[in-house]
């Protein structure tokens, strides 16, 4: 069963606290009221008993004949009735009342009906007399209720005061939360500065701190995206301009041979532009952690075989021999498509820079607590001073004559970082070529 109440924390706190106070006051008032009534009954019974006992301690009333107090029939006199009898049944005293108690006496406490009213009667027998003291139950009840209401009155007066205090305390305690909400609501979309945690309660502070961490990550992501868009626009400008020039050359071709050469150059330019766009899209996709599914066990050996099959055509075109050696199976936690892209980019680089008829060696090793992937080629290699810079996006080594976008190694490092792996470039043991080494810590 759900309570139709808003999701406001302030409204919920006030509702339940004020309801608890109201219910508590009602319960406490009811208990106090009933307890006071019971205590009043005991007090009045004790009063009747003490009155009878005090009358029974003296014998002055026995010396007179039957006596009636003056003023009988007075309404006030009917509230309390006192009668005294001799042991042989002669009434010797009657208080100022027009009512007569029953002649049949029941010793102790009893209730008697007199002219539509109920009286509480206490009868006491002594060796010299029988005493009856009676009290009107209506008057008695009214007095008891008045006493009970005076007892409940402080509770009824304190409950609204307590509710007001609770209202003020809750509203004052939630002011920092309201201030933080207003601070966030007043922000412009581009404002990703941290939210102030000054004065926030301990229950809310961790939430705002996590929000600030999220804003910080968003700032970094937006800055990275802005830089990426700028770099991409810069890099796309050159191949698009080259395609326009090649198209113009094709249109101006005077003979079939010139036309064929222009068509080949145009096709090569389109392939380079297509490759650049594909790598830009791959970089954008793998820089977004939102698109990543939860990591799962991936067989790195199977991923290498897949990457090898996808790059085999390019290797065969240059008569390059690609060897795969090492562990037949190596499980790592990650995303299969991303790891396949990492391996394919490293293989693409190795094939691109290896000479005709060269050799590329892939080796997969498993040691205690980690998995190592190495790719050795026979290309010109990279100078040690340039080995870190080549992982920057769109960076190309000076004097490099191979066509490329400078994104392959940047994508590979981004994927390695997301998988907790370290990728480094080293000299091959033979001293000629480059070794790409990926260290997966498990």
């Amino acid at each position: 069963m759900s309570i139709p109440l808003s999701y406001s924390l302030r409204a919920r706190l006030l509702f339940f606290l004020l309801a608890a106070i109201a219910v508590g006051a009602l319960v406490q008032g009811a208990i106090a009221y009933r307890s006071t009534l019971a205590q009043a009954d005991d007090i009045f019974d004790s009063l009747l008993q003490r009155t009878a006992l005090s009358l029974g301690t003296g014998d002055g009333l026995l010396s007179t004949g039957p006596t009636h107090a003056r003023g009988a029939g007075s309404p006030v006199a009917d509230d309390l009735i006192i009668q005294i009898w001799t042991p042989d049944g002669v009434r010797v005293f009657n208080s100022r009342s027009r009512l007569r108690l029953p002649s049949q006496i029941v010793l102790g406490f009893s209730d008697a009906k007199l002219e539509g009213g109920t009286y509480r009667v206490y009868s006491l027998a002594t060796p010299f007399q029988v005493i009856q003291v009676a009290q009107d139950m209506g008057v008695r009840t009214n007095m008891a209720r008045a006493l009970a209401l005076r007892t409940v009155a402080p509770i009824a007066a304190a409950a609204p005061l307590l509710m007001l205090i609770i209202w003020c305390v809750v509203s004052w305690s939630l002011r920092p939360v309201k201030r933080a909400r207003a601070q966030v609501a007043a922000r412009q979309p581009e404002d990703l500065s941290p939210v102030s945690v000054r004065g926030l309660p301990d229950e809310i502070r961790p939430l705002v701190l996590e929000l600030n961490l999220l804003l910080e990550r968003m700032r970094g992501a937006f800055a990275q995206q802005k830089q990426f868009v700028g770099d991409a626009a810069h890099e796309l400008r050159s191949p698009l301009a080259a395609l326009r020039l090649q198209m113009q050359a094709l249109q101006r071709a005077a003979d079939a041979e010139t036309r064929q050469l222009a068509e080949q150059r145009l096709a090569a330019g389109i392939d380079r532009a297509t490759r650049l766009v594909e790598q830009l899209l791959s970089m954008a996709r793998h820089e977004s952690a939102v698109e990543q599914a939860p990591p799962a066990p991936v067989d790195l050996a199977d991923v290498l075989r897949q990457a090898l099959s996808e790059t085999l055509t390019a290797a065969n075109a240059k008569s390059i021999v690609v060897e795969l050696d090492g562990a037949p199976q190596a499980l790592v936690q990650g995303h299969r498509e991303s790891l396949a892209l990492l391996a394919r980019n490293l293989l693409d680089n190795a094939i691109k820079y290896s000479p005709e008829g060269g050799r590329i060696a892939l080796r997969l090793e498993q040691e205690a607590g980690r998995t190592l992937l190495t790719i050795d080629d026979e290309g010109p290699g990279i100078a040690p001073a340039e080995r870190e810079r080549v992982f920057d996006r769109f960076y190309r080594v000076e004097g490099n004559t191979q066509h490329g976008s400078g994104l392959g190694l940047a994508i590979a490092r981004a994927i390695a970082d997301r998988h907790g792996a370290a990728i480094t470039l080293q000299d091959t043991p033979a001293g000629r070529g480059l070794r790409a080494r990926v260290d997966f810590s498990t």
Side-chain angles (χ1 to χ4, degrees):
M1 178 179 178
S2 60
I3 299 176
L5 190 65
S6 68
Y7 284 96
S8 167
L9 179 61
R10 178 175 178 271
R12 286 176 175 266
L13 285 175
L14 289 174
F15 176 82
F16 288 110
L17 287 176
L18 297 182
I21 292 173
V23 172
L26 289 175
V27 173
Q28 185 178 4
I31 294 174
Y33 184 82
R34 294 180 63 87
S35 176
T36 304
L37 287 179
Q39 291 177 5
D41 282 339
D42 292 340
I43 292 173
F44 287 130
D45 284 348
S46 177
L47 178 62
L48 291 178
Q49 187 177 23
R50 289 177 179 273
T51 301
L53 289 174
S54 64
L55 293 174
T57 57
D59 56 356
L61 292 174
L62 294 177
S63 61
T64 64
T67 305
H68 298 279
R70 296 180 181 179
S74 170
V76 178
D78 290 339
D79 294 347
L80 184 66
I81 304 173
I82 301 175
Q83 291 183 357
I84 301 176
W85 305 76
T86 62
D88 53 359
V90 177
R91 183 185 298 116
V92 295
F93 179 82
N94 185 49
S95 62
R96 293 184 301 171
S97 175
R98 61 183 177 81
L99 300 178
R100 296 291 183 268
L101 295 177
S103 57
Q104 184 178 358
I105 297 175
V106 178
L107 296 180
F109 288 101
S110 63
D111 294 333
K113 295 286 187 179
L114 299 177
E115 296 186 4
T118 302
Y119 281 74
R120 182 71 165 171
V121 182
Y122 181 77
S123 301
L124 174 67
T126 68
F128 306 102
Q129 57 194 0
V130 176
I131 302 169
Q132 287 181 302
V133 182
Q135 187 178 31
D136 188 348
M137 290 294 292
V139 175
R140 178 174 177 168
T141 302
N142 291 335
M143 295 175 64
R145 284 177 179 172
L147 181 61
L149 290 176
R150 285 196 295 271
T151 304
V152 174
I155 301 175
L161 179 61
L162 186 57
M163 289 181 176
L164 179 62
I165 294 174
I166 291 295
W167 185 290
C168 295
V169 169
V170 170
S171 300
W172 178 80
S173 300
L174 293 178
R175 279 195 308 174
V177 180
K178 185 177 181 181
R179 184 177 63 249
R181 181 190 63 80
Q183 183 182 355
V184 175
R187 288 181 173 223
Q188 298 299 321
E190 64 276 5
D191 185 4
L192 298 177
S193 58
V195 180
S196 174
V197 297
R198 180 178 57 85
L200 287 178
D202 293 340
E203 292 79 8
I204 305 297
R205 186 187 298 268
L207 176 62
V208 178
L209 290 177
E210 291 298 327
L211 175 62
N212 288 338
L213 291 177
L214 175 62
L215 292 175
E216 183 178 356
R217 291 194 295 269
M218 291 179 65
R219 284 198 305 273
F222 286 162
Q224 193 175 30
Q225 183 183 32
K226 185 176 180 180
Q227 179 185 0
F228 174 78
V229 171
D231 293 343
H234 174 75
E235 291 297 322
L236 283 172
R237 190 178 298 115
S238 297
L240 291 177
L243 287 177
R244 177 179 292 275
L245 292 175
Q246 290 160 2
M247 177 62 71
Q248 293 174 355
L250 177 61
Q251 292 172 345
R252 293 194 301 266
D255 52 42
E257 182 178 353
T258 305
R259 185 179 183 85
Q260 183 179 7
L261 179 61
E263 288 177 350
Q264 291 175 352
R265 290 178 177 175
L266 179 60
I270 292 174
D271 289 340
R272 288 194 296 271
T274 302
R275 177 62 176 165
L276 174 60
V277 171
E278 289 177 351
Q279 287 193 314
L280 286 173
L281 293 175
S282 297
M283 172 66 79
R285 182 172 63 252
H286 290 284
E287 282 186 346
S288 175
V290 176
E291 297 182 2
Q292 296 285 4
V298 179
D299 184 3
L300 200 55
D302 188 46
V303 168
L304 286 179
R305 287 190 287 268
Q306 175 185 338
L308 183 57
S309 66
E310 294 174 355
T311 57
L312 191 59
T313 301
N316 290 337
K318 297 179 67 174
S319 301
I320 295 175
V321 177
V322 182
E323 299 176 353
L324 178 59
D325 193 12
Q329 185 181 45
L331 295 179
V332 296
Q333 288 289 327
H335 308 91
R336 181 181 178 84
E337 293 301 322
S338 298
L339 292 174
L341 180 60
L342 180 149
R344 187 166 61 248
N345 282 347
L346 294 180
L347 272 174
D348 279 340
N349 272 1
I351 293 171
K352 183 186 298 182
Y353 293 102
S354 291
E356 296 278 347
R359 174 178 171 274
I360 297 176
L362 280 70
R363 185 168 183 82
L364 190 60
E365 299 176 306
Q366 278 196 310
E367 300 178 359
R370 63 179 183 173
T371 300
L372 297 176
L373 166 64
T374 57
I375 301 178
D376 295 344
D377 62 38
E378 295 180 348
I382 301 175
E386 301 279 345
R387 288 177 183 171
E388 277 300 315
R389 296 201 61 191
V390 294
F391 288 106
D392 296 338
R393 291 179 297 186
F394 305 111
Y395 180 80
R396 292 175 58 79
V397 177
E398 186 176 355
N400 186 359
T401 59
Q402 295 290 334
H403 295 292
S405 61
L407 282 174
L409 289 177
I411 294 174
R413 168 158 283 185
I415 296 174
D417 290 343
R418 293 198 185 282
H419 288 76
I423 180 171
T424 55
L425 302 178
Q426 305 171 347
D427 293 327
T428 60
R432 180 175 181 271
L434 184 71
R435 165 174 285 185
R437 183 174 184 268
V438 187
D439 185 352
F440 293 89
S441 297
T442 57

